[in-house]
Amino acid sequence: MSVQRKRQILIPKNRIFLIILILPYFKPASLEFISPNLDEIFNICRIFSFIFSVSIYLYNRNYSKMLICLTLYQLVLLISTILNNGDYWRLAVSCGTIISFSMLTEVVLKQNPQIFFNSIAFLYFILIPLDLILYLIYPGGFGRSSYYNANIYYFLSIRNGFAPLFIPIIVCLCIYSAFKNKKITCMTWITILCGSLRLLMTWSATGVVSWFILIMYIIFLYRKFIGRFIDILKYYFVFLTFQICFVFLRIQEHFSYIIEVMLHRSLTFTGRTEIWDYAYLLIKQSPVLGYGVYEGHGLIPRGNLYYYSHNGILEVLLQGGFIGLIIFFMLFIIAAIPLYKHRTHYIVGIISTGIFSLLVIMLAEATITDIQLYMLLVIGSCSPYIIKQLEFEIMHQKTEGTHRKKSKVGAAYVPDK
């Protein structure tokens, strides 16, 4: 038995086992209100998942640029946190969660992408409809933040936190359907419909906009010829344009009549521009390494409370300074290289659109610690492995025809050495 073959033994190939590994990372946010004991059990299980994920990644010794860069980014946050005497526990939890789940995602995607998407799909076939049902039963949620009273905890997330969770899941569901050699499976549509209803009922403006972008892509461009003309670099250009125009230059102030009189909306984006202005002042005082992962609920005072910056780029600058921002951008560049190389493939199109949708959310929310963001970046960096197995499965299905017996997921697929 070769060394490469021995290493593959440690890679999870059983869907149930993989679901058990990834479930603690997607712990429903409301568990601390529903059952504190179950919440603690999930936290303990996450430690087991952390140990297993890091162990199999280090054992395989197949280190990627994505994980090296992600580790460097967390190292910058560690140095900045030490220098500013920040919140070490919060840093440890965030760093351990992001890095270990990214390791697990990359290991499985490089060896058996199909089982990864099968596991994610199966998990959220249950969780998303359950989240909608529980919302209909308990529209007031299961609790509120002890600090931000407006933050209502629904089953899976707080109100503003559902879209950053749901959008990467939509991408995974579409890839899951592709492995079934279908455009979109019935179960995928049901899950997307349930999640969409939940998102629209609880309404987060930025989340709805990002969701709308992804849904419109799926309806009108996914697996269509015209979709090939939209690639990840164009998405990055559009995002940077939005960031510069709306967050830095404030061009919305030139359309005050349309926004305030016709649309009845605030030019401050619900007070966000005031928060951004204060963030600029803080960034100027510590531009190189920022302030690290800080204690409390943010650095920006507004009223009697403190807030995060409500913008992904500003939050990276606050926590890691310009050094952190450069490394953070490198994560997106690493993901973009294979996505641009395979830009004509429909799977790449849905991954790129998912990343762009999350970037749109980052214009108004500081979602830089959400593991779903890094999961999608790892999926982008591993897109060649996904395409290879997808094409293998489709070819195998055509060869066998409709009368072939169903084998275990990916059983006949041989990954790259």
Side-chain angles (χ1 to χ4, degrees):
M1 184 179 287
S2 66
V3 175
Q4 180 69 22
R5 182 59 181 170
K6 288 180 180 179
R7 290 176 187 170
Q8 291 183 21
I9 294 175
L10 286 180
I11 296 169
K13 295 184 178 181
N14 183 281
R15 186 176 69 177
I16 301 301
F17 180 61
L18 186 57
I19 290 173
I20 293 173
L21 278 177
I22 65 177
L23 181 57
Y25 291 107
F26 296 108
K27 180 183 70 172
S30 63
L31 275 190
E32 61 178 295
F33 300 101
I34 298 174
S35 175
N37 292 332
L38 186 58
D39 185 68
E40 287 300 319
I41 292 174
F42 263 77
N43 291 335
I44 294 172
C45 290
R46 185 176 292 184
I47 295 174
F48 169 77
S49 296
F50 168 84
I51 295 173
F52 184 89
S53 302
V54 174
S55 298
I56 63 170
Y57 189 84
L58 296 178
Y59 181 85
N60 281 277
R61 298 196 297 273
N62 187 14
Y63 311 124
S64 69
K65 294 178 182 178
M66 175 63 72
L67 264 297
I68 292 173
C69 190
L70 184 56
T71 303
L72 287 175
Y73 175 66
Q74 297 297 330
L75 181 61
V76 170
L77 294 183
L78 173 62
I79 295 172
S80 183
T81 302
I82 292 174
L83 293 176
N84 292 279
N85 194 26
D87 193 333
Y88 301 106
W89 176 247
R90 182 178 293 181
L91 171 66
V93 172
S94 174
C95 173
T97 301
I98 291 172
I99 289 182
S100 63
F101 184 70
S102 297
M103 286 179 172
L104 178 63
T105 301
E106 183 176 286
V107 167
V108 180
L109 286 177
K110 285 185 175 181
Q111 295 297 333
N112 197 335
Q114 187 175 4
I115 197 173
F116 177 82
F117 295 109
N118 275 7
S119 302
I120 294 290
F122 180 81
L123 182 62
Y124 279 95
F125 282 159
I126 299 172
L127 291 181
I128 298 255
L130 179 60
D131 183 72
L132 175 63
I133 293 171
L134 290 176
Y135 170 74
L136 295 175
I137 299 174
Y138 303 101
F142 294 95
R144 291 177 181 267
S145 169
S146 59
Y147 190 79
Y148 301 114
N149 189 55
N151 277 354
I152 303 173
Y153 281 78
Y154 299 105
F155 177 62
L156 285 180
S157 69
I158 61 174
R159 182 176 61 88
N160 287 349
F162 185 72
L165 180 152
F166 183 45
I167 284 171
I169 299 307
I170 294 177
V171 174
C172 291
L173 289 170
C174 290
I175 300 176
Y176 160 81
S177 297
F179 275 107
K180 300 297 182 181
N181 200 21
K182 297 178 180 179
K183 289 187 176 181
I184 303 289
T185 64
C186 180
M187 287 301 297
T188 295
W189 275 123
I190 292 174
T191 308
I192 292 176
L193 177 61
C194 290
S196 300
L197 289 174
R198 155 72 161 83
L199 180 64
L200 293 172
M201 287 177 180
T202 52
W203 193 267
S204 169
T206 308
V208 170
V209 170
S210 61
W211 161 85
F212 183 79
I213 292 170
L214 185 56
I215 292 298
M216 288 299 100
Y217 179 88
I218 292 173
I219 294 174
F220 296 107
L221 298 176
Y222 181 56
R223 302 192 74 161
K224 294 180 174 62
F225 179 77
I226 192 173
R228 299 181 179 184
F229 296 98
I230 302 177
D231 59 68
I232 190 65
L233 295 186
K234 294 184 177 68
Y235 279 136
Y236 284 176
F237 176 79
V238 172
F239 165 73
L240 290 175
T241 301
F242 285 169
Q243 176 75 22
I244 293 171
C245 291
F246 290 104
V247 181
F248 296 144
L249 300 181
R250 307 287 171 81
I251 65 168
Q252 64 270 22
E253 295 176 0
H254 299 287
F255 304 96
S256 58
Y257 180 81
I258 297 175
I259 296 174
E260 292 184 322
V261 178
M262 297 178 65
L263 299 178
H264 303 288
R265 299 295 180 184
S266 171
L267 285 176
T268 65
F269 296 145
T270 321
R272 282 173 171 79
T273 55
E274 300 170 8
I275 293 175
W276 295 342
D277 288 337
Y278 201 96
Y280 297 149
L281 298 177
L282 292 175
I283 291 168
K284 289 178 181 178
Q285 295 175 18
S286 183
V288 179
L289 282 172
Y291 300 90
V293 177
Y294 30 80
E295 296 180 357
H297 298 273
L299 292 178
I300 302 169
R302 190 167 182 261
N304 297 321
L305 302 175
Y306 283 82
Y307 291 85
Y308 291 99
S309 62
H310 278 284
N311 178 267
I313 301 301
L314 294 181
E315 192 63 29
V316 172
L317 286 168
L318 282 172
Q319 292 191 12
F322 281 96
I323 294 178
L325 182 64
I326 292 171
I327 301 176
F328 188 74
F329 279 159
M330 287 175 61
L331 293 171
F332 287 86
I333 293 172
I334 292 170
I337 292 173
L339 289 175
Y340 187 76
K341 181 179 179 180
H342 301 277
R343 59 189 178 277
T344 58
H345 199 281
Y346 62 91
I347 287 300
V348 167
I350 194 69
I351 297 172
S352 300
T353 306
I355 293 175
F356 175 68
S357 297
L358 289 185
L359 288 173
V360 170
I361 295 177
M362 286 175 58
L363 290 171
E365 302 291 344
T367 56
I368 61 171
T369 57
D370 291 352
I371 62 171
Q372 292 83 6
L373 168 64
Y374 301 97
M375 178 185 75
L376 211 51
L377 291 176
V378 173
I379 289 174
S381 67
C382 293
S383 54
Y385 298 92
I386 301 171
I387 293 171
K388 180 181 177 181
Q389 188 181 11
L390 179 61
E391 292 177 346
F392 172 85
E393 293 294 332
I394 292 175
M395 184 182 300
H396 186 62
Q397 290 171 14
K398 289 180 178 179
T399 302
E400 293 294 324
T402 56
H403 298 291
R404 75 176 179 89
K405 294 181 179 180
K406 293 183 178 179
S407 59
K408 293 182 179 180
V409 175
Y413 173 68
V414 180
D416 287 337
K417 293 185 178 182

Coordinates of all heavy atoms in Angstrom, one line a residue, residues 5 110 176 202 208 292 381 412:
R5 N -1.9 6.3 -0.5 CA -3.1 5.5 -0.2 C -3.3 5.4 1.3 O -4.5 5.5 1.8 CB -3.0 4.1 -0.8 CG -4.2 3.2 -0.6 CD -5.4 3.8 -1.2 NE -6.6 2.9 -0.9 CZ -7.8 3.3 -1.2 NH1 -8.1 4.5 -1.7 NH2 -8.8 2.5 -1.0
K110 N -10.6 18.0 -1.8 CA -9.5 17.5 -2.6 C -9.6 16.0 -2.8 O -9.0 15.5 -3.8 CB -8.2 17.8 -2.0 CG -7.8 19.3 -2.2 CD -6.4 19.6 -1.6 CE -6.0 21.0 -1.9 NZ -4.6 21.4 -1.4
Y176 N -24.5 20.4 -5.3 CA -25.1 19.1 -5.0 C -26.0 18.6 -6.1 O -25.9 17.4 -6.5 CB -25.8 19.2 -3.7 CG -26.9 18.1 -3.5 CD1 -26.5 16.8 -3.0 CD2 -28.2 18.3 -3.7 CE1 -27.4 15.8 -2.8 CE2 -29.1 17.3 -3.6 CZ -28.7 16.0 -3.1 OH -29.7 15.0 -2.9
T202 N -38.2 38.0 7.9 CA -37.4 38.7 8.9 C -36.8 39.9 8.4 O -36.4 40.8 9.2 CB -36.4 37.7 9.6 OG1 -35.6 37.2 8.5 CG2 -37.1 36.6 10.3
V208 N -31.3 40.8 1.8 CA -32.3 40.6 0.7 C -31.6 40.9 -0.6 O -31.8 40.2 -1.6 CB -33.6 41.4 1.0 CG1 -34.5 41.3 -0.2 CG2 -34.3 40.8 2.2
G292 N -6.5 44.6 16.9 CA -6.7 43.2 17.3 C -8.2 42.8 17.5 O -9.1 43.6 17.2
S381 N -11.1 27.9 -4.2 CA -9.7 27.5 -4.5 C -9.6 26.0 -4.9 O -8.7 25.6 -5.5 CB -8.9 27.8 -3.2 OG -9.3 26.9 -2.1
A412 N -16.2 5.2 -7.2 CA -15.3 4.9 -8.4 C -14.4 6.0 -8.7 O -13.5 5.9 -9.6 CB -16.2 4.6 -9.6

